[in-house]
Amino acid sequence: QDGARFVVAGEGGEARVHEVESGNRVSALARAGQSVFAAAFRPDGKEVALGGLDGELRLYNADTGALVRTVVPVPIETRTTAR
C-alpha cells in the first residue's frame, strides 16, 4: 500500500484518507475539535498517526477511521542554568 494513499488534515479537527489514483475518500479521522498539526502513516499503511497542540498522539485505522489508541506523552523536564 506504500504510496497508494494520502492524508489531508487541518484546523477543523478532521483528517481524511484518500486514494492517490482515484482521489476517493477512504475514511475520515476525527480529533474532537482539536486542530491537526502532524499526520503520518505507519510504514505498512494500516494506521495513521495524528498529532495536535494538546500533545497527544492518536492512532487511527486507515481503512475505517476508528480510533485505535491515544498516546499521552510523559512531560519532558526542562532545566534551566543560571549564568
Side-chain angles (χ1 to χ4, degrees):
Q1 284 196 22
D2 189 31
R5 295 179 176 179
F6 64 95
V7 63
V8 178
E11 293 183 21
E14 182 182 79
R16 295 177 308 278
V17 176
H18 293 265
E19 294 177 342
V20 171
E21 191 171 311
S22 68
N24 291 335
R25 185 174 78 178
V26 176
S27 61
L29 322 169
R31 273 191 53 87
Q34 296 287 328
S35 295
V36 177
F37 289 98
F41 282 96
R42 197 170 84 174
D44 64 7
K46 294 184 179 189
E47 292 180 350
V48 177
L50 300 180
L53 289 179
D54 61 359
E56 293 182 352
L57 177 70
R58 292 186 176 105
L59 300 174
Y60 295 87
N61 181 296
D63 292 324
T64 67
L67 180 64
V68 175
R69 84 181 132 206
T70 300
V71 178
V72 179
V74 175
I76 298 172
E77 182 180 321
T78 59
R79 296 182 183 176
T80 58
T81 57
R83 292 184 184 214

